[in-house]
Amino acid sequence: MNHHDVQPVSPLTLTWVHRQLDPGERIVGTEVLHGGITADVRRLTVATRGGGTRDLVLRSFVDPFSVERAEDWLSREAGALTLLAGTGVTAPGLVAVDPTAAHCAYPSLLMTHLAGRTVLEDEGLETRVPLLARKLVAIHALRPAERPREYEALTTADTVVVPKGADAAAWAAAIDVIRRPAPRYEGRFLHRDFQPGNVLFNAPPDAPSEAPPDTPSDGPSDALPARSAGTRITGVVDWAATSWGPADLDVAHCSTNLALLHGPAWGQRFAEAYEEAGGELAAAASERLYWQVRDPLACSEEVRLVARAWRDAGRAALTTRAVEERLDAYVTALMGVLG
């Protein structure tokens, strides 16, 4: 899956998009939206009949790996966006979907554009983590009339990639954990890719994207930046992996991303914030460990892709090696606390 070089929008796809517009509207601009791994995403600026403009977002799967799975992913996303309309969880509105590329050059989904931006920098994280936790609790509280399909595990004990120089004993113990049968759980509506890259904030775009090298963010701090006042979530995007399963899975995924973006302690802090917001996780430590460690082990298989996406989004210091080191530290910490 290589999305470093985004493909141009084909005339075939543009023709399909034009058929979804209101009479008299036309596309007057396109902008590539970076930060994703599995899809090419663009903002399309549409001139309206009244002389104004509105924005849409075009999401297309272009590489062979994603194209093979696009019908499932895009159908699930379209269903989720339809379900979320009118709930308290703000998500894009579905405009049209072509999951099999019957009309487009590649499988594609067209949706409304939400205000806000993703925020991946360290500054203001103390404020954003509780907001992320409360939003995830709200997602898990949804009770759709028709449940999405059961979650997929995404990794096995035999496919984990242990980083070079990692704590071999900790990783071996973690891998043994996921060899066990999955614990019983109470099902919840899952986003399944809930993490900072898929959450939009009203934060101003002029905040620094990287903490200075001499001030690493390896854990929570008591200082709250003044610019964090009034920060709020404006929406959640990328619902292609919507599933039914344990809340622990979504919490573990966001925890892993926070640990790799900002330092291992932030992963553990998110699980705490989720419970503080009223969310419920597995009661037994052994069950919680099973779900919590499964996600970083899955991440081990795609560290290079994740690190590159974050660098493209402005986190230049997050080299593959830097992310591997944080992943090792996080897995080791989980095994020390819960193992």
Side-chain angles (χ1 to χ4, degrees):
M1 298 186 296
N2 187 343
H3 295 276
H4 191 69
D5 298 318
V6 180
Q7 300 290 328
V9 182
S10 76
L12 191 64
T13 301
L14 287 175
T15 297
W16 175 77
V17 171
H18 274 106
R19 290 204 296 268
Q20 317 309 322
L21 304 181
D22 294 334
E25 293 187 329
R26 58 192 176 89
I27 298 172
V28 294
T30 65
E31 177 189 356
V32 174
L33 302 179
H34 293 286
I37 295 177
T38 59
D40 284 354
V41 183
R42 287 179 177 78
R43 178 165 60 187
L44 309 179
T45 301
V46 178
T48 63
R49 292 180 60 183
T53 61
R54 67 186 180 107
D55 290 333
L56 298 175
V57 173
L58 175 68
R59 177 175 163 88
S60 299
F61 293 105
V62 301
D63 67 79
F65 177 89
S66 298
V67 168
E68 288 180 5
R69 295 156 178 80
E71 183 174 4
D72 173 44
W73 289 348
L74 291 181
S75 296
R76 272 203 270 181
E77 183 159 25
L81 297 185
T82 301
L83 165 71
L84 291 164
T87 70
V89 177
T90 304
L94 177 66
V95 176
V97 62
D98 182 14
T100 62
H103 308 285
C104 301
Y106 298 101
S108 300
L109 183 142
L110 188 66
M111 58 192 139
T112 60
H113 177 266
L114 296 180
R117 71 178 185 98
T118 57
V119 184
L120 303 182
E121 58 259 20
D122 293 329
E123 184 177 0
L125 190 59
E126 298 91 343
T127 298
R128 298 195 305 275
V129 163
L131 296 178
L132 289 168
R134 288 199 290 272
K135 183 59 65 177
L136 190 53
V137 169
I139 291 171
H140 291 165
L142 295 173
R143 295 293 182 268
E146 183 177 346
R147 293 180 180 178
R149 70 176 57 185
E150 203 77 4
Y151 76 91
E152 295 180 27
L154 303 181
T155 192
T156 71
D158 297 322
T159 58
V160 173
V161 180
V162 180
K164 182 179 179 180
D167 185 322
W171 279 76
I175 291 171
D176 282 343
V177 168
I178 68 169
R179 291 187 192 278
R180 307 170 193 162
R184 296 178 61 120
Y185 61 86
E186 183 179 355
R188 293 283 187 270
F189 181 82
L190 305 181
H191 181 283
R192 202 62 180 98
D193 192 16
F194 186 87
Q195 43 93 2
N198 285 331
V199 179
L200 305 177
F201 288 87
N202 66 334
D206 57 350
S209 61
E210 187 74 53
D214 59 342
T215 57
S217 176
D218 290 327
S221 145
D222 292 331
L224 292 177
R227 75 171 68 219
S228 296
T231 298
R232 61 183 177 84
I233 292 175
T234 59
V236 182
V237 300
D238 193 355
W239 296 84
T242 302
S243 310
W244 188 261
D248 296 73
L249 272 177
D250 267 354
V251 173
H253 188 63
C254 192
S255 294
T256 299
N257 278 266
L258 289 169
L260 303 188
L261 276 166
H262 309 291
W266 285 106
Q268 297 177 65
R269 171 65 189 121
F270 182 73
E272 296 170 357
Y274 179 82
E275 291 187 297
E276 290 167 1
E280 296 183 7
L281 297 175
S286 60
E287 295 177 350
R288 188 173 299 201
L289 176 64
Y290 178 90
W291 301 115
Q292 197 75 359
V293 80
R294 177 172 279 285
D295 196 85
L297 295 185
C299 185
S300 74
E301 301 173 32
E302 54 182 18
V303 169
R304 187 178 302 276
L305 291 171
V306 170
R308 188 181 63 200
W310 286 339
R311 290 197 302 275
D312 288 346
R315 294 298 305 269
L318 292 181
T319 63
T320 298
R321 185 58 190 150
V323 174
E324 286 178 336
E325 290 174 349
R326 286 186 172 181
L327 181 62
D328 176 40
Y330 182 51
V331 169
T332 302
L334 287 177
M335 296 308 298
V337 172
L338 296 174

